Structure formats: structure tokens, C-alpha cells
Amino acid sequence: MTYDADSRPASRRGGKISLVVPVYNEGPGLYALRDSVTAVMEATAYDWECILVDDGSRDRSWAVIEELSAADGRFKGLMFSRNFGKEMALTAGVEHAIGSDAVICLDADLQHPPEIIPELLAKWEEGYDIVATIREKVADYSLVKKMGSKAFYWFMRRFTDLDLPPNSTDFRLLDRKVVETLSQFTEGSRMFRGLIDWMGYKKTYISFCAPARSQGEPAYSVKKLFDLAINSFTSFSLVPLRLTGYLGLLIMAVTVPVLGLMVVSNWFFGANITALAFFTVFNTLLIGIVLCALGMMSLYIGHIHTEVVNRPLYIVRSRAGTWDETQ
């Protein structure tokens, strides 16, 4: 499928905007989100809807979503059968934003301030297909997360073909053509914003300062962030496999002279180097090469297995609000 960038209308004002919000144990904070989103969007010239995706929450999040959708038809809900992760929650919300001219993804904890939405819309009206955001600072980020974030973006920019600026976020606006292109991606191990950045399109950035969470605890633990980083890196880069080959060559380049020196010393200079020493040095280096290779290959084989099995990306257990039949 191809898309003509020049076929879009000269003015985008007056269209429909879908807000996609992944929700995981955010029940009490959804009221504040509702108030903030409503105040911001009603001041714009657009029709809008807010799709709340409950990613297997264990609190009253779904009950609150049902309450919000019953009180205001612009709020809709999708409930997953279990926790599939934020990347799939974003994917489901975007795929269910049928008939929208643009989709805006944001978090439920108000660390993606809805007050920034008019700026996203203004850039979109200028002709940008993707309007992403860069987080300048976070009020409650721990030192470990800050250091991990810097390391992640350094590796991604250094060893992948993604244009991924440091501290970029999932808080972004996607034009309809971007949404349609995204729907063609079927991979199960995905980094949502990585796929979007991989597409290209006409893109710009807006900076913002993230406030502290309105309430509750972050859904992403250090372990989940680490797992996401590993999946993202191996999804967009073959560098680890190349490094394994380079490591093997480096070890061979070091091993051969060392073994040669041991042989010369033993035969010509009377050094008493035992056969066990030869075997130990050589065998240790071989084991290191094999373990590195197996470790890297297992990551990629795991991705291949996930794609070959071809399970659904997510399962919607229930819906709240009024949905079109096409949704």
C-alpha cells in the first residue's frame, strides 16, 4: 500500500483526533486524566475521542473506565485478557482509532502533560506527519533509571539505523498515513516508538518537562525497562551478532601469538610449560567464544520463534463505550 503525501487537505482543522492511553493500575488517577484531557481538547477545533486500554490492571481501572465511558461517549475502553505490556496497549489503541485524522499517544499518569497537545496539533497543521516529544527532565526519576536511559539511547543511536533522540517518548502525534503504515507491522517483539521512527516520514520534536506522577507507582520497573531495552536493541540492530564474530577474531588474534610464544619458550628457552597449561589457555578462550556466540544467537532465535508462532499481538476481553461496527 502506498500513500500520497500531497493528497492530504490543505487545512486539517475540524477533523477528528483519537487519544490513546495505555492503563495499568491507574484507576484513581483516571479522573484527573479525564478532566485534563477534556479541558484541553474542548478548547481545540477538533472532534475527539479518548481510547483507554486496560493492560490487565489489578485495581479498579476497568471499573473507572466503564464509569467514564458511560458518563461521556467520547471516552472508550478496551480491556485485555491479561497484561500484554505497554507496547501492545499502544498498538491496540492505535489500531482501534478508526476514522481519525490523527492519533495522539500519551500516558495515564499525567507525566505526558495533556496541555502540550495543542502544540502537537499546531505542528501537525504545519504539515508534519509525526510530532514526537523529548522529555527534558523527570521530577521523580531515580539515578539508576537516568543512567540506564542514557546508556540505552547511546547504544541505540550508535549501533542501529534508528534516528532516536535521547529522552524521546511515546507521547507523540501520528498522522493517519503513519497509523495505516503501522497497521502493516506484525512483529510481536516491538518497540512502539522505534517502529514509528524507523518509518521515516516528515517528523519534528517538541520538548517538555515531565511532572511527578499524580499518584500511584510507575508501571515500568527497572527489570521491565531492561527487558524492553534488550528487545528494542536486538529488534533493530545486528551489531551483537557482528560483535560476536569480531570477538572471535580478536580472541584468535590474541590466542595464536600467546600459544606461539608458549611453544617457542617451551622448546627453545627451556620454559617448563605443561601440556595442561596449553590446554587450559586454549580451552578457556574457546569456551568464551562459544558462550558469547550462543548468548547472542539465542536472543535472535527467540525473536524468530516469536514471529514464526504468530500468536495474536493482544486479546481484547471486553469493551466499554460506544464503538463503530468497523472498530
Side-chain angles (χ1 to χ4, degrees), residues 139-158:
D140 55 359
Y141 238 35
S142 66
L143 179 61
V144 173
K145 287 186 177 181
K146 288 180 181 178
M147 294 177 62
S149 177
K150 289 182 179 180
F152 169 73
Y153 284 106
W154 185 87
F155 273 100
M156 291 297 289
R157 289 179 63 83
R158 181 76 174 177

Side-chain angles (χ1 to χ4, degrees), residues 263-273:
V263 170
V264 171
S265 299
N266 194 50
W267 287 2
F268 297 101
F269 296 98
N272 187 20
I273 301 176

Side-chain angles (χ1 to χ4, degrees), residues 52-116:
L52 302 165
V53 184
D54 184 1
D55 185 26
S57 297
R58 298 179 180 179
D59 64 353
R60 296 189 63 257
S61 292
W62 182 246
V64 175
I65 292 173
E66 288 183 315
E67 179 184 335
L68 297 181
S69 61
D72 188 339
R74 295 172 296 190
F75 287 84
K76 303 177 180 181
L78 297 173
M79 180 174 64
F80 282 172
S81 60
R82 64 171 178 83
N83 178 254
F84 284 90
K86 182 181 179 181
E87 310 305 307
M88 296 309 173
L90 289 169
T91 299
V94 169
E95 289 182 349
H96 283 77
I98 306 298
S100 298
D101 297 289
V103 174
I104 298 176
C105 303
L106 69 160
D107 287 351
D109 56 13
L110 297 181
Q111 286 194 306
H112 293 166
E115 292 76 19
I116 305 297

Side-chain angles (χ1 to χ4, degrees), residues 18 30-32 47 63 68 75 114 120 176 185 189 211 228 263-264:
S18 290
L30 294 180
Y31 297 106
D47 294 329
L68 297 181
F75 287 84
L120 302 180
R176 167 49 55 182
F185 289 74
S189 298
L228 175 62
V263 170
V264 171

Side-chain angles (χ1 to χ4, degrees), residues 1-3 20 86-97 102-105 129-130 170 172-201 236 313-314:
M1 185 181 297
T2 59
Y3 304 94
V20 172
K86 182 181 179 181
E87 310 305 307
M88 296 309 173
L90 289 169
T91 299
V94 169
E95 289 182 349
H96 283 77
V103 174
I104 298 176
C105 303
D129 300 313
I130 300 172
D170 291 317
R172 54 185 59 196
L173 179 147
L174 311 177
D175 183 73
R176 167 49 55 182
K177 65 171 63 66
V178 180
V179 172
E180 295 294 340
T181 303
L182 183 63
S183 67
Q184 301 178 48
F185 289 74
T186 59
E187 58 208 70
S189 298
R190 60 175 57 195
M191 178 189 181
F192 185 81
R193 63 180 179 270
L195 293 178
I196 295 171
D197 289 335
W198 179 88
M199 293 180 197
Y201 285 112
F236 290 98
L313 299 180
Y314 56 85

